[in-house]
Amino acid sequence: MENHNHQQLIEKLLNCANTCEICFSHCLSEGGMMANCAKLDRDCADSCRHAIALLQSQSVIGHQYLVLCEEICRKCAEECAKHQHEHCQRCAQACQECAEACHSHHEQITQR
């Protein structure tokens, strides 16, 4: 993995993980129809935290992992955008921004 500063990406990943956790908590309390949203929130938060760990340790698979993280963030954003709850709308935005940040960091390796 290239040795360069990932601080802005890490900040996006952390914001996304935290926003997903908030949405997850609200979705759990709302019950039934929000179950899929809650599951994706948890997957996305976990994925973002794992990406942070890989980037901070300068893992050789860090950039490749961002491809998966981007996909999970996009799925979570899509699901959250379906719901009018304020926490879901904030989560959709944070996930979309994180997906774009992941994409901009991994596109160099996927175009080789």
Side-chain angles (χ1 to χ4, degrees), residues 13 43-44 46-52 54 59-72 102 106 109:
L13 288 160
D43 289 347
C44 190
D46 289 346
S47 175
C48 288
R49 283 191 294 269
H50 193 67
I52 291 168
L54 291 171
S59 170
V60 297
I61 64 161
H63 280 115
Q64 289 90 343
Y65 186 80
L66 292 176
V67 175
L68 177 60
C69 191
E70 175 190 354
E71 182 179 341
I72 294 168
C102 288
H106 75 67
I109 63 139

Side-chain angles (χ1 to χ4, degrees), residues 4-109:
H4 61 280
N5 189 345
H6 295 292
Q7 192 56 41
Q8 288 181 336
L9 174 58
I10 289 171
E11 288 172 14
K12 292 282 187 192
L13 288 160
L14 186 58
N15 180 59
C16 186
N18 290 338
T19 305
C20 284
E21 288 294 344
I22 292 167
C23 189
F24 172 79
S25 294
H26 285 287
C27 288
L28 278 185
S29 68
E30 292 162 8
M33 66 181 251
M34 300 302 287
N36 194 43
C37 190
K39 288 177 186 177
L40 282 167
D41 286 334
R42 180 49 54 92
D43 289 347
C44 190
D46 289 346
S47 175
C48 288
R49 283 191 294 269
H50 193 67
I52 291 168
L54 291 171
L55 292 171
Q56 288 177 329
S57 69
Q58 297 183 358
S59 170
V60 297
I61 64 161
H63 280 115
Q64 289 90 343
Y65 186 80
L66 292 176
V67 175
L68 177 60
C69 191
E70 175 190 354
E71 182 179 341
I72 294 168
C73 287
R74 290 194 193 284
K75 287 180 188 267
C76 190
E78 182 180 312
E79 178 63 30
C80 284
K82 294 176 185 177
H83 308 287
Q84 295 305 311
H85 304 288
E86 186 177 337
H87 59 85
C88 285
Q89 293 299 307
R90 278 196 306 264
C91 190
Q93 181 178 349
C95 289
Q96 188 62 39
E97 290 173 5
C98 190
E100 293 302 322
C102 288
H103 183 80
S104 70
H105 274 73
H106 75 67
E107 70 181 336
Q108 300 92 0
I109 63 139

